DNA sequence: ATACGGTTTAACCATTTGGTTGACAAAGGT
DNA sequence: ACCTTTGTCAACCAAATGGTTAAACCGTAT
């Protein structure tokens, strides 16, 4: 009886395959091979491809959510928060290289999926961040900007370089190694780029 | 004999299906249905799913490339160029909503694809942009920044809000209509955000 | 030892899917 | 008129694919 072990073995194999090939491109047999078990076991534990996929997807999102919460519900100072998030995010994605792309991609092909996620307890909420931004604006720490726009900017600058890697690597015309250096530099560059844009230079208090 | 017409009819149908469902998710029968022709005709004109897909992909990229060239090889002033690009890009994507996501996605699943694209004559090159940025830095118009980083920032801020729409819409917690308003505002907001970040305030010459 | 529960497998099944074939129609040249 | 080329289709095919089944396996409680 390996019981519990097999189930997670399957989930791990499924994560790899689904995240690399997507729902449509993944093959149940390939997942079974990677988990080194009989294909029937996939159905024994997860009933169907759809359900196995949903387990993988939910698990992936649950890994991503706390990352996003770092920008949204952390209590630290706005600038510090931006710095910490941009620095942490790179290391996170290096550990899970296919994850952001996977989540984005499947969400695009299945937009109603988001409803299931939103009902989860720890789904990130932007409310606290909005207050923090409007406070910073009122106190003259930063130039007027809508929290939504700032949030979208932060996320875009951090996530897209990974999702668009093949395209950007070709456009910037560098090899894998140089691109990784560029990404490494972004750990600090992006935060300064953002802060530089929003900080209010007229008030030096 | 409708000849020439059928071929483009197929390509148009294939574009829609492939861009929405990706290579793996697309079905030849569905493309034939959308083109209102017999499935055998798909193979008569394009031999295989792979070749039909490549035709669609290349055509999609050829639409995207000139957009990117606007940032790279246009002769206008740096700030003006950034403003024009961010403004134009939104209208472009509204016309081709699935296109950027499609290109990014298939490039991720097929990174060697990029080689075929790079050999094309009008593949965007960053060289001119690099010169322009380093000149602007030398002349004190903008703060020191590497052209590659600036380029990645511009592209990220403009493309990601579309690719990540389902995710961002949920995180920012707004409906389709409000999100579109946010995107509309970004036509100008993004350019100012970028320029604000890089422009040198100390030299007012 | 035996019976029982959950676990695992090989073999199997129905459907889907990309691709092919052969007949036939519609021009177009001679 | 007749033959060749091109375009179109219904029917067909083999392979792949998600899913099922019935039997075997195995630890454990009786």
């Amino acid at each position: 009886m390996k019981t519990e072990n097999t189930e997670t073995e399957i989930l791990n194999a499924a994560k790899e395959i689904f995240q690399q090939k997507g729902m449509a491109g993944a093959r149940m047999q390939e997942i079974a091979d990677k988990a080194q078990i009989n294909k029937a076991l996939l159905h024994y534990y997860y009933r169907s491809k759809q359900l196995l996929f949903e387990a993988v997807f939910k698990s992936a999102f649950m890994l991503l959510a706390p990352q996003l919460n770092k920008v949204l519900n952390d209590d630290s100072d706005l600038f510090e928060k931006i710095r910490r998030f941009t620095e942490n995010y790179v290391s996170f994605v290096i550990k899970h290289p296919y994850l952001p792309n996977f989540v984005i991609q499947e969400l695009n092909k299945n937009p109603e999926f988001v409803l299931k996620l939103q009902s989860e307890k720890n789904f990130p909420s932007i409310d606290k961040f909005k207050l923090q931004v409007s406070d910073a604006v009122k106190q003259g720490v930063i130039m007027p900007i809508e929290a939504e726009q700032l949030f979208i900017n932060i996320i875009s600058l951090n996530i897209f370089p990974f999702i668009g890697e093949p395209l950007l690597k070709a456009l910037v015309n560098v090899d894998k190694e140089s691109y990784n250096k560029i990404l490494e530099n972004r750990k600090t560059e992006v935060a300064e780029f953002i802060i530089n844009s929003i900080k209010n230079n007229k008030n030096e208090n």
Side-chain angles (χ1 to χ4, degrees), chain A:
Chain A
M1 251 205 247
K2 287 181 229 157
T3 165
E4 176 88 343
N5 207 13
T6 306
E7 189 166 349
T8 63
E9 211 65 55
I10 291 175
L11 195 63
N12 286 335
K15 273 181 196 169
E16 267 193 64
I17 304 294
F18 274 129
Q19 288 182 21
Q20 281 178 52
K21 314 209 165 175
M23 168 66 171
R27 297 290 158 246
M28 293 298 266
Q29 187 59 59
E30 200 180 354
I31 295 172
D33 290 348
K34 174 143 282 177
Q36 298 181 52
I37 45 107
N38 188 286
K39 183 163 68 85
L41 277 189
L42 298 182
H43 294 93
Y44 178 75
Y45 284 105
Y46 292 92
R47 289 195 62 86
S48 71
K49 186 185 184 186
Q50 181 64 30
L51 287 175
L52 177 55
F53 171 78
E54 284 177 22
V56 169
F57 185 84
K58 199 166 275 187
S59 146
F61 190 80
M62 286 307 141
L63 228 53
L64 193 60
Q67 292 295 322
L68 301 175
N69 273 318
K70 272 187 197 153
V71 214
L72 291 173
N73 292 326
D74 188 293
D75 274 321
S76 63
D77 160 66
L78 185 61
F79 289 173
E80 195 48 35
K81 186 190 290 196
I82 292 172
R83 287 201 184 91
R84 241 190 277 168
F85 175 72
T86 52
E87 207 173 321
N88 286 186
Y89 191 78
V90 177
S91 355
F92 170 73
V93 179
I94 285 167
K95 271 192 200 157
H96 311 279
Y98 297 98
L99 198 144
N101 190 40
F102 170 68
V103 171
I104 298 284
Q105 189 49 31
E106 296 301 331
L107 237 35
N108 265 308
K109 263 165 202 151
N110 231 326
E112 70 279 12
F113 235 69
V114 101
L115 297 175
K116 281 186 196 165
L117 296 174
Q118 268 178 322
S119 58
E120 299 279 333
K121 256 285 164 269
N122 56 349
F123 187 85
S125 155
I126 202 179
D127 295 339
K128 194 180 261 182
F129 183 74
K130 274 165 94 166
L131 280 177
Q132 192 171 19
V133 170
S134 66
D135 277 1
V137 170
K138 269 179 209 148
Q139 287 169 21
V141 181
I142 64 173
M143 309 276 282
I145 187 171
E146 276 182 51
E148 288 88 347
Q149 298 288 0
L150 178 56
F151 175 69
I152 293 176
N153 291 348
I154 295 172
I155 300 295
S156 299
L157 287 167
N158 279 296
I159 297 191
F160 188 75
F162 292 98
I163 293 183
E165 174 169 334
L167 178 63
L168 288 172
K169 218 159 54 188
L171 290 172
V172 174
N173 196 26
V174 293
D175 58 20
K176 177 99 191 113
E177 197 192 1
S178 309
Y179 191 76
N180 282 343
K181 264 182 214 153
I182 290 177
L183 289 180
E184 184 67 26
N185 288 339
R186 287 182 75 81
K187 275 191 189 177
T188 56
E189 290 257 337
V190 165
E192 297 316 314
F193 183 85
I194 297 167
I195 291 169
N196 226 25
S197 178
I198 60 176
K199 78 155 176 266
N200 192 341
N201 292 309
K202 289 172 186 169
N203 276 0
E204 307 283 70
N205 43 352

